[in-house]
Amino acid sequence: MVATDSVELGTGAFRYVALAAWERLPAGMNLVECAGVAVDAEDLVYLLTRQPANPVVVLDPDGGFVRAFGEGVFTDRTHAISVGPDGFLYCADDGSHTITKWTREGELVLTIGEPGVSAEAYSGDPFNRPTDAAVSSHDGSIFISDGYGNARIHRYSAEGEYELSWGEAGIDVGQFMVPHNLAIDEQDRLYVADRESHRVQVFDREGDPLAMWNNIHRPCGMTMGGDGLIYIGELNGFARLEGALGVGHRVSILSREGELLARLGHPEEGEEAGRFIAPHGIAVDSRGDIYVAEAAYTIRGQHLDPPRELRSIKKLRRLG
């Protein structure tokens, strides 16, 4: 039984109420799980689900249903969603090896990659199971992390034309062990969540390294808030760490210099408010509220007896 009480998290300038319930879906609609989440300029919330019948679900800030779209385009391996400075939505589907661009109303306007066709694994060619996209506020360039079957970052023009790539498998500077999610700032500094290296690497738009932040446990979802801070959802540990407390399943907030400012969560995983199972995507709205998308079914729900869908979208309402 999931607890019904909201709880307070954090300290100092980073205090939140973790809501026990938030999303209100139409009768009969389910998410399977929420792989990604994004918020637009009007604070509408976009859930990228792994339910092919309603891949993108749009909710208002109070959790009310607005619309759903994308049926027939996405696989059940959707991965990440972001809102570009142009107001369009960018979605990564590692099952179809594509990045798609959408209006907020649900019109598909651009597909990068050939649906269902992958490059050779670790060839460096786009794409083999891409994981995220981030868009420059200067010229609309699209940066794509090609993370599950490659170890590569690609840059495309705003029109979807290939420009350049960098990275390869490894743990040295400029190498990646699953480049999982991206954030980009107003100076086109690209922040890459290098998940299995437990770090974030920072690059300029040409792929030259600028900084490295270590000691972040399996960084997955990542975004830059309106406050200029970096919000990261950290994934839980590997199977052999089963039962270890305080290893992942949390949210970390860092400065752009990589200074840890706050960590939110509970040492034990769970569906309850204030706990996480598998933070996989993250977004921050204009009020500083945090939305956390969780790969809860993949990590935990499918292994239960019997398997069941777990809560996979959490809202933390900022206090003060």
Side-chain angles (χ1 to χ4, degrees), residues 277 295-310:
I277 295 174
Y297 183 79
T298 295
I299 294 295
R300 192 64 62 208
Q302 67 175 335
H303 304 296
L304 297 177
D305 185 18
R308 68 177 179 90
E309 180 173 340
L310 303 173

Side-chain angles (χ1 to χ4, degrees), residues 69-144:
F69 60 84
E71 183 176 6
V73 175
F74 294 99
T75 71
D76 61 1
R77 279 294 313 180
T78 55
H79 198 269
I81 185 170
S82 61
V83 178
D86 52 10
F88 288 93
L89 303 171
Y90 293 81
C91 300
D93 185 336
D94 73 75
S96 68
H97 311 285
T98 61
I99 303 295
T100 49
K101 177 181 178 180
W102 302 76
T103 68
R104 292 180 295 172
E105 292 71 34
E107 177 187 358
L108 178 61
V109 296
L110 176 67
T111 300
I112 304 176
E114 185 176 350
V117 177
S118 68
E120 183 180 349
Y122 295 100
S123 65
D125 298 328
F127 299 113
N128 192 305
R129 303 187 65 193
T131 50
D132 200 9
V135 179
S136 166
S137 60
H138 289 284
D139 61 2
S141 293
I142 305 166
F143 295 85
I144 298 168

Side-chain angles (χ1 to χ4, degrees), residues 22-24 42-45 58-67 287 291 315:
W22 170 70
E23 70 280 11
R24 302 193 308 277
E42 298 175 359
D43 283 344
L44 289 178
V45 183
V58 188
L59 304 177
D60 66 29
D62 295 320
F65 178 79
V66 177
R67 58 181 168 269
R287 296 167 297 188
Y291 301 85
K315 179 169 181 172

Side-chain angles (χ1 to χ4, degrees), residues 32 70 74 77 87 118-119 145 151 160 200 212 219 229-230 256 259-260 270 273 297 300 317:
V32 178
F74 294 99
R77 279 294 313 180
S118 68
S145 53
V200 169
M212 183 186 297
L229 303 179
I230 305 295
R256 290 201 223 184
E259 177 189 2
L260 179 65
Y297 183 79
R300 192 64 62 208
R317 180 170 290 151

Side-chain angles (χ1 to χ4, degrees), residues 4-281:
T4 58
D5 295 330
S6 299
V7 300
E8 289 194 19
L9 294 177
T11 59
F14 301 98
R15 295 174 53 247
Y16 301 83
V17 172
L19 303 182
W22 170 70
E23 70 280 11
R24 302 193 308 277
L25 303 178
M29 177 177 284
N30 75 314
L31 306 177
V32 178
E33 65 186 356
C34 189
V37 60
V39 179
D40 71 13
E42 298 175 359
D43 283 344
L44 289 178
V45 183
Y46 299 80
L47 310 182
L48 186 64
T49 82
R50 286 181 170 165
Q51 168 56 273
N54 44 258
V56 181
V57 175
V58 188
L59 304 177
D60 66 29
D62 295 320
F65 178 79
V66 177
R67 58 181 168 269
F69 60 84
E71 183 176 6
V73 175
F74 294 99
T75 71
D76 61 1
R77 279 294 313 180
T78 55
H79 198 269
I81 185 170
S82 61
V83 178
D86 52 10
F88 288 93
L89 303 171
Y90 293 81
C91 300
D93 185 336
D94 73 75
S96 68
H97 311 285
T98 61
I99 303 295
T100 49
K101 177 181 178 180
W102 302 76
T103 68
R104 292 180 295 172
E105 292 71 34
E107 177 187 358
L108 178 61
V109 296
L110 176 67
T111 300
I112 304 176
E114 185 176 350
V117 177
S118 68
E120 183 180 349
Y122 295 100
S123 65
D125 298 328
F127 299 113
N128 192 305
R129 303 187 65 193
T131 50
D132 200 9
V135 179
S136 166
S137 60
H138 289 284
D139 61 2
S141 293
I142 305 166
F143 295 85
I144 298 168
S145 53
D146 202 2
Y148 280 146
N150 251 323
R152 200 83 160 147
I153 304 296
H154 309 289
R155 192 183 81 204
Y156 282 74
S157 72
E159 294 73 34
E161 299 297 324
Y162 173 80
E163 293 182 342
L164 61 83
S165 302
W166 72 88
E168 61 185 3
I171 60 172
D172 289 337
V173 175
Q175 297 180 328
F176 303 107
M177 296 292 286
V178 185
H180 194 272
N181 280 88
L182 305 172
I184 192 167
D185 67 18
E186 71 282 354
Q187 298 182 40
D188 273 3
R189 289 180 297 212
L190 188 72
Y191 302 77
V192 182
D194 188 7
R195 191 178 77 182
E196 304 309 334
S197 294
H198 303 282
R199 66 188 181 184
V200 169
Q201 296 193 67
V202 187
F203 301 90
D204 67 18
R205 62 177 287 116
E206 304 301 322
D208 294 321
L210 301 175
M212 183 186 297
W213 309 342
N214 294 302
N215 304 320
I216 305 169
H217 192 270
R218 301 187 77 194
C220 271
M222 182 167 60
T223 192
M224 177 170 288
D227 53 11
L229 303 179
I230 305 295
Y231 293 74
I232 299 175
E234 297 182 50
L235 199 61
N236 58 353
F238 297 97
R240 60 175 53 92
L241 289 174
E242 189 75 32
L245 299 182
V247 182
H249 49 262
R250 64 192 177 195
V251 169
S252 293
I253 305 172
L254 295 91
S255 73
R256 290 201 223 184
E257 291 71 44
E259 177 189 2
L260 179 65
L261 304 175
R263 274 201 168 122
L264 308 172
H266 189 280
E268 297 180 355
E269 71 170 42
E271 291 183 86
E272 301 91 342
R275 300 190 184 198
F276 302 106
I277 295 174
H280 192 265

